[in-house]
Amino acid sequence: QVQLVESGGGSVQPGGSLRLSCAVSGSIFSINTMGWYRQAPGKGRELVAAITSGGSTNYAESVKGRFTISRDNAKNTVDLQMNSLKPEDTAVYYCFAHLFVAGSRHAMEYWGKGTLVTVAS
């Protein structure tokens, strides 16, 4: 079965940095798009960053210039380097992967359980 496990969350002061990682495992044929969503307290889920199998990236306007997404296709991992963190970045961050399970003809999106990022002084 497909599993996504996030790591790297924690508490940092404004202006600090944090690096999130997500490892995808299971009977996977290929992964199309990978990325990160986040959900702040009392808010809906927001797309933070995404990266395709070809390396094309998309970022939320609020994180452009501060966050960098990357992936390792050989390891089936995706990372999010977060710099110049702000209090408004506080949220639970969820990794996602849109992928083909081995033997399947249809791509499906899978999610991790999330990791908490708290930015406060």
Side-chain angles (χ1 to χ4, degrees), residues 6 36-40 42-48 91-96 109-114:
E6 303 102 332
W36 297 86
Y37 283 84
R38 68 185 180 187
Q39 188 165 23
K43 303 294 183 180
R45 189 166 292 187
E46 172 192 29
L47 178 65
V48 178
V92 176
Y93 285 70
Y94 299 89
C95 173
F96 76 89
E109 188 163 294
Y110 296 83
W111 298 74
K113 294 182 178 180

Side-chain angles (χ1 to χ4, degrees), residues 19-84:
R19 187 176 184 89
L20 305 182
S21 296
C22 175
V24 184
S25 62
S27 300
I28 300 166
F29 178 74
S30 64
I31 302 176
N32 299 323
T33 303
M34 308 176 74
W36 297 86
Y37 283 84
R38 68 185 180 187
Q39 188 165 23
K43 303 294 183 180
R45 189 166 292 187
E46 172 192 29
L47 178 65
V48 178
I51 183 167
T52 69
S53 60
S56 297
T57 59
N58 275 312
Y59 296 94
E61 288 295 327
S62 60
V63 308
K64 285 184 178 178
R66 300 188 298 119
F67 291 11
T68 302
I69 189 170
S70 61
R71 65 188 283 173
D72 187 329
N73 292 329
K75 297 180 179 179
N76 286 341
T77 60
V78 59
D79 291 353
L80 186 69
Q81 178 65 47
M82 305 184 295
N83 299 325
S84 302

